[in-house]
Amino acid sequence: MKLTGVSGAAALAGCGGGDGGDGGATDGEGDGDASTDSGGESGSQVLNATLTGATNEGVPANMHLNPMATQNYDYIAGNHLFERFAAYNFSTQEFEMAGLESWNIEGQTVTLTLRDDLTWDTGDPVTAGDVITQFKLMKKTGATLWDFADSVEQGEDDKTVVINLKRPSNPEIIKHTLANGDLRIHGYQPVFNEFLDKDAAAIQQFQWEEDIHGNGPFSYEGKNDQAWTLSRNSEFYNADNINFSTLELLSRQDNTALQQGLMGGELDVVTTLFAPPKIVANFPDRVEEIPLPAKWGYGVLFNHGDKDFGKRKVRQAVAHVINRQQVADNAGPRTKDPAPKVTGIAPADQESWLGDAYSNFESYGMDATQSEKAASLLREAGYSKSGGKWQDSNGNTLGGSYITPAGWTDWTTATNTVVDQLNSFGFDFEINSLPGGDYFSAYIESNFKMGALYWLPGGARSSFPYFPLRWQMKIPDINGGHNFTEGQKTVPAMDGSGQMTLNPLEEIQSVATTQDQGQVAETVQRVAWHHNQNLPVLGLVGKLDQSWLTDAEWDVASEDDPARGVKWPSHWLPKQGKLSAKE
C-alpha cells in the first residue's frame, strides 16, 4: 500500500501558489498493509504504509529546516514537521485552531494559549518560551508580526504567550498573520536560543540540519539526494488520527510527471498541481480535483537596482507591452484570470477596495499590447530603436536573461507568451529556466534583471490588501533581493493634478494599527496607487489552485466535508483523521 503526496513552491506564498507543484512515485515494494505497530501510547493500529510525496524546492541533501533562513529552506518538509498556530478555512470562511487552544485580542493585548498537549517529538512540552524565542528572532528578520507588536512575554503560565501591541490593532490582520500557512511553531529553544544575542544575518544563514525536532504530525528521519524521509510522530496530539507510518518527499521538478502519476495510479494525492482541461478530462474516476482560492499567480519581478529596469518608465513600458488576457488564455483559461488593474490587490478584490477611484488606476492594457504608449515611455527614458531592437545610448539592447522556474508547465507557457510579446515589440530577452534552488537563489542574490515570480503572497491573507501591498515592497521569500528601496516616493497624483509624495511602506504598515475602516480604505487606495504607478512588482494573472485526492486505497473526506477547505487537503486531512489508509 502507498500514499503519495507532493510539495512545491506554492508553499513559499503561504501555500498561496503551486502552479509548479511536483511529485514522485514509489515502486510499491515493502509497504504492504499486513504489518502494523502499536502507534504509541494510545495503542491505535498503524499500518506500515508510506505516504510518498515530492518537493521541488531543491535536492533534499542541499536543503535545511530553519524557516527563518529562506534560502534553501524546504517549506513542504518543514510544514509537515512543525504545527501551525491556526488555519483559515476557505469553505467556512472561519479560522480554526491548530497548535493554539485559543487566541484573545483585547485592546492592546493579544493572548495566545498553546494546547496543553502540544509537545516536541522528544516528548517535552512546547512552551511559551519556545514561542517567545521564535517571535524575538522574527523581530530581527522584520516579520509582519512586528508591524503591530511592541513586545512579547510569558503570560500566567508556560503555555500562555502575551503579545503587547503598539496600539489597538486591526484584529483581522493579527489573525491572518498568525494563521498564515507558512508561520509554524518551530522555535525549539535548545537550538534557537543562541541566536537571541546575534544579528539577523546569523539566524538567516543558519541551516538547521542537525538535532532537528518538530511538533507536527511527522518527525525528521533523514535526507539524501533523492528524498526526505519523515516518520509518524507518536507524540503529536492527533497522532491517533494518522494510521500510516512513513512520509517520503522525493526530489521532483516536473508537472508532467505529476500528471502522469495521477493518470497511472502512482500518485494518490497531490498537494497542488496545475492540470489543463484536456489532462483533467483524461484522469481516471479515482482522481478528484479540489479547487481552492489561490490569491496568488504569475507576475513579473524587476531588479530595481538594475540600470535599465530600475527606471520607472522602463517598467511601465513593459507593463504596456504585455497583454495579460493572452497570458491567462495561453497558460490556463480554466484556472487563470488576468488582473484588471496592475496593482498589489488580488483581481477579484480590486473593485471593492478601490471603490470610486477604480477608474483612475492605469490598466496598462489588460487585453492589448499598447505599443505606442510603451515606445513613448522608452524614448522619454533615453532609449531608441534600431534594427528592430530598443537600445540605450551606448548601443546595448534592452533586455537580457528572463528567469523562470523549470518544470512549472503553466508558468513555462506564461513565460513564453510574455517573452514573445516583449521581443516582438523590440526588447531582447532570452529565457533562462532554472531548477527550484537556483531559481530562488538568483533572486535572493539579486543576480537577475527581470523574471517570473508570484506577485501576491497567497492564501486567505492576500484578500486583505495590507499583506500583498506590504509584501511587494519587502518580498521576504527572496530576502528583498529585488532591491526595492524604502523611503519616500513621488508619483503622479491620483486625480491627475500634479504629484503626490508618500512613504508607501510606512503607510501600509500603519494599517496594522488602524481600527478606523475609512482610514484603512484610504490608506490602501494611496499605497495601491503608488504600486500602480511605480510597479514594485508587475502583477499579471491570478489563479485558482487545484489540489488532488484519490480514493482507490484511501479513505478520504466526502466532497461536502468543510475540512477540505483548508490548504492543503493532503496536509490538513490526515491529522483530522479524514485521509487515511484503508485496512
Side-chain angles (χ1 to χ4, degrees), residues 288 290 549 555-564 573 577-579:
E288 183 180 345
I290 302 178
L549 301 176
D555 292 319
V556 300
S558 62
E559 290 187 21
D560 59 354
D561 193 319
R564 293 158 64 110
L573 294 179
K578 296 185 177 183
L579 197 165

Side-chain angles (χ1 to χ4, degrees), residues 159-170:
K159 284 287 187 176
T160 305
V161 176
V162 175
I163 303 173
N164 299 305
L165 305 177
K166 297 173 182 177
R167 60 185 69 90
S169 299
N170 190 309

Side-chain angles (χ1 to χ4, degrees), residues 459-483:
R461 58 181 173 157
S462 285
S463 61
F464 197 103
Y466 162 84
F467 291 98
L469 291 172
R470 178 188 187 276
W471 182 90
Q472 287 198 351
M473 292 182 278
K474 301 284 285 186
I475 313 190
D477 307 48
I478 59 169
N479 291 350
H482 64 325
N483 295 312

